[in-house]
Amino acid sequence: MQSTPRVLVVGGGLAGLVAARHLAGGGVTVSLLERRDTVGGRVQTIERDGFRFDRGFQVLFTAYPAVQRELDLEALDLRAFAPGATIARPGHRSTLSDPLREPRAALSTLFNPDITVGDKRRVLSLWRELRGRERDPDAVFAADRDDDSTIDQFLRDRGFSDRFRERFVAPFYGGITLDRSLSTSSRVFEYTFAALASGSTAVPAAGMGAIPAQLTDRARAAGATIETGCEVDAIEHRQRDGAVTVSLDDSHSDGGTTDRDVDAVVVAADPPAAQSLTGVSTIPTEGRASTTQYYRLSGRTTLDTGRRLLLNVSDDGPVHVAPHSEVAPEYAPPDETLLSATYLGHREESDQELADRTQAALESWYPERAVGELEPVHTDRIEFAQFAQPPGVYERLPDVRDPEGPVYLAGDYTRWSSIQGAMESGRQAARAVLEDLSR
Ligand SMILES: Cc1cc2nc3c(=O)[nH]c(=O)nc-3n(C[C@H](O)[C@H](O)[C@H](O)COP(=O)(O)OP(=O)(O)OC[C@H]3O[C@@H](n4cnc5c(N)ncnc54)[C@H](O)[C@@H]3O)c2cc1C
């Protein structure tokens, strides 16, 4: 009788966790090794003094097909942001909403002075053009599409005004793509615009870290073993018997290594680590950085933005400010307010200098009232939040089967930089392994 194949998954981000679950569900023996002490990779939440801090500002798009397939959304107890945003500049704030989903905000959207009537019409026709695309990410990000351009060009081609691009799209999509210049591929815009029109953006009541926690439970329930604090140093494919040897950094043996022989390996590490483990040169390693700082305000202070993001029209200061405890009261102790400000890039200023900048931005947006003293309580400077996605990048991304031998890739970098891309990649990698093992 043949023994059950053994598969090792390297990396416990969303891609690795989804791959482990599908592999275990497919009847193979699966171990996932994660080098950090916690799984989740780029999706983490820490809790301190009754506050919840996600690692960088991040949200779940509920319309993403992989999100709907891989997660039990009800169990995540989601707290949704309101559609649209508040556009903020010195001395002025205005509301932009989706009147179909939020009729109460329809009037303020209709008379929003930051958006011209023509742009409002163009948004509607874009909605008609793009709706439904969120259901088919493969078509939007297909490698053989030859009509990729920057987000900026895409909107210019459709007649959107400079004002609309600068006041709304630059800060809103700057926050999504971590690139305020709108030089990211228009496909990210197409896809996320469609996803925003049909679903919401939300966070679990327990923080974004509840997502990998649920995926871990599901992978374990399917039979996978998950080990943290285990770093893989090298992967070697043996021509002789077709197996793969994985060398682990063994901190318990004075910095020595231990080897494990398996039938296949899924490399679900972050892009730079995946490239150095597999040597696949097409794995993108240029990253986009961001800095998110969280602030406490005593008392439940409302910024009159409801559950909407505050977008900064100016490119000086944060790209946006998020009213976390308004969206999810569970993110702060009762009678406390939690806000965050996200800056693009890796900010070198001290935490206090950054807080002063945010304070100055908020005070300029709210000249008529006191905002209160922001107390910085947590700062995340994230060097590699997403891989850079200029036009044309999707034609060059690696396939899950690109490494030599029974070594596979899983990670956002095989599709596009997002929770959707990571989860879908994990599923595709597991499918490829199971197919090849059954031959
Ligand atoms: C600040 C920020 C904001 C974002 N905003 C959004 C958003 O709003 N919506 C959205 O959809 N996406 C967002 N993203 C992107 C999304 O989080 C990522 O695309 C996704 O989480 C990537 O998952 P992954 O599994 O591919 O990789 P990762 O999360 O990078 O996981 C890789 C794992 O491999 C481990 N590893 C690496 N090397 C080794 C080794 N040698 N041995 C063992 N383990 C190893 C790492 O420790 C890590 O846990 C954001 C990301 C960040 C950081």
Side-chain angles (χ1 to χ4, degrees), residues 10-16 33-36 38 40-43 55-59 61 64 178 230-233 268-271 273 277 290 382 384-386 410-413 416-420 422:
V10 182
L14 304 185
L33 306 179
E34 164 56 48
R35 73 173 162 197
R36 293 211 200 108
T38 51
R42 278 172 266 170
V43 181
R55 187 161 186 278
F57 177 80
Q58 253 313 329
V59 291
F61 285 63
Y64 284 168
L178 307 181
C230 282
E231 176 154 7
V232 169
D233 272 347
D270 49 277
L277 282 172
S290 68
I382 301 166
F384 199 110
Q386 297 175 19
D412 59 351
Y413 60 85
W416 65 291
S417 206
S418 63
I419 290 172
Q420 160 70 28

Side-chain angles (χ1 to χ4, degrees), residues 235-245 261-263 403-407:
I235 298 168
E236 196 194 334
H237 170 225
R238 294 196 311 261
Q239 296 289 352
R240 187 168 35 84
D241 58 1
V244 204
T245 303
D261 289 348
V262 289
D263 299 291
E404 276 193 19
V407 180

Side-chain angles (χ1 to χ4, degrees), residues 356-423:
D356 292 344
R357 261 180 191 278
T358 308
Q359 181 90 42
L362 279 173
E363 280 170 7
S364 77
W365 301 341
Y366 291 88
E368 76 285 5
R369 54 169 278 194
V371 172
E373 183 80 14
L374 298 180
E375 182 192 337
V377 281
H378 183 75
T379 308
D380 278 320
R381 293 176 175 80
I382 301 166
E383 201 57 61
F384 199 110
Q386 297 175 19
F387 65 87
Q389 300 172 95
V393 68
Y394 306 106
E395 292 155 36
R396 303 187 290 270
L397 296 184
D399 182 76
V400 295
R401 283 193 170 92
D402 274 1
E404 276 193 19
V407 180
Y408 301 79
L409 299 175
D412 59 351
Y413 60 85
T414 73
R415 307 189 82 82
W416 65 291
S417 206
S418 63
I419 290 172
Q420 160 70 28
M423 287 186 176

Side-chain angles (χ1 to χ4, degrees), residues 92-432:
H92 187 81
R93 302 179 306 278
S94 65
T95 304
L96 183 66
S97 183
D98 176 348
L100 299 176
R101 286 196 287 164
E102 229 195 357
R104 272 192 306 167
L107 269 187
S108 48
T109 297
L110 196 63
F111 294 110
N112 185 314
D114 287 307
I115 311 292
T116 64
V117 175
D119 285 327
K120 284 170 200 153
R121 263 205 314 269
R122 284 183 275 274
V123 168
L124 206 62
S125 80
L126 201 56
W127 180 77
R128 285 197 208 97
E129 179 188 338
L130 300 177
R131 76 181 152 172
R133 293 207 186 169
E134 75 286 356
R135 290 195 287 271
D136 195 0
D138 287 350
V140 175
F141 292 97
D144 56 1
R145 269 185 72 183
D146 58 4
D147 56 349
D148 206 358
S149 63
T150 62
I151 294 175
D152 194 55
Q153 193 57 50
F154 180 89
L155 295 173
R156 280 175 195 274
D157 291 347
R158 281 158 183 76
F160 282 98
S161 69
D162 290 352
R163 207 204 292 183
F164 180 73
R165 294 196 320 277
E166 285 160 17
R167 292 190 179 177
F168 174 67
V169 188
F172 192 76
Y173 277 88
I176 292 178
T177 61
L178 307 181
D179 163 26
R180 202 182 163 118
S181 70
L182 303 182
S183 61
T184 295
S185 162
S186 56
R187 296 190 195 176
V188 179
F189 178 87
E190 282 180 50
Y191 192 73
T192 51
F193 183 94
L196 285 167
S198 73
S200 56
T201 55
V203 292
M208 291 295 282
I211 295 168
Q214 188 186 90
L215 292 174
T216 303
D217 290 347
R218 293 187 146 196
R220 286 200 169 119
T225 303
I226 295 177
E227 300 169 53
T228 54
C230 282
E231 176 154 7
V232 169
D233 272 347
I235 298 168
E236 196 194 334
H237 170 225
R238 294 196 311 261
Q239 296 289 352
R240 187 168 35 84
D241 58 1
V244 204
T245 303
V246 173
S247 305
L248 304 182
D249 180 14
D250 191 348
S251 49
H252 305 296
S253 68
D254 294 333
T257 57
T258 50
D259 289 349
R260 289 198 203 178
D261 289 348
V262 289
D263 299 291
V265 174
V266 174
V267 178
D270 49 277
Q275 195 189 70
S276 86
L277 282 172
T278 62
V280 173
S281 62
T282 49
I283 296 175
T285 52
E286 186 192 340
R288 292 242 175 259
S290 68
T291 302
T292 295
Q293 187 167 57
Y294 288 89
Y295 310 99
R296 163 194 193 176
L297 276 170
S298 43
R300 283 273 176 183
T301 309
T302 160
L303 289 178
D304 307 327
T305 186
R307 293 178 291 112
R308 278 185 209 91
L309 281 184
L310 278 156
L311 301 181
N312 186 1
V313 167
S314 153
D315 57 10
D316 185 29
V319 69
H320 60 64
V321 169
H324 289 280
S325 47
E326 193 81 42
V327 175
E330 297 82 357
Y331 270 50
D335 302 325
E336 300 263 20
T337 297
L338 183 70
L339 304 175
S340 75
T342 293
Y343 289 79
L344 302 183
H346 183 280
R347 301 296 294 228
E348 302 294 341
E349 301 101 310
S350 70
D351 291 357
Q352 190 54 53
E353 282 166 343
L354 218 47
D356 292 344
R357 261 180 191 278
T358 308
Q359 181 90 42
L362 279 173
E363 280 170 7
S364 77
W365 301 341
Y366 291 88
E368 76 285 5
R369 54 169 278 194
V371 172
E373 183 80 14
L374 298 180
E375 182 192 337
V377 281
H378 183 75
T379 308
D380 278 320
R381 293 176 175 80
I382 301 166
E383 201 57 61
F384 199 110
Q386 297 175 19
F387 65 87
Q389 300 172 95
V393 68
Y394 306 106
E395 292 155 36
R396 303 187 290 270
L397 296 184
D399 182 76
V400 295
R401 283 193 170 92
D402 274 1
E404 276 193 19
V407 180
Y408 301 79
L409 299 175
D412 59 351
Y413 60 85
T414 73
R415 307 189 82 82
W416 65 291
S417 206
S418 63
I419 290 172
Q420 160 70 28
M423 287 186 176
E424 181 56 24
S425 175
R427 188 171 77 119
Q428 294 300 339
R431 182 179 282 177

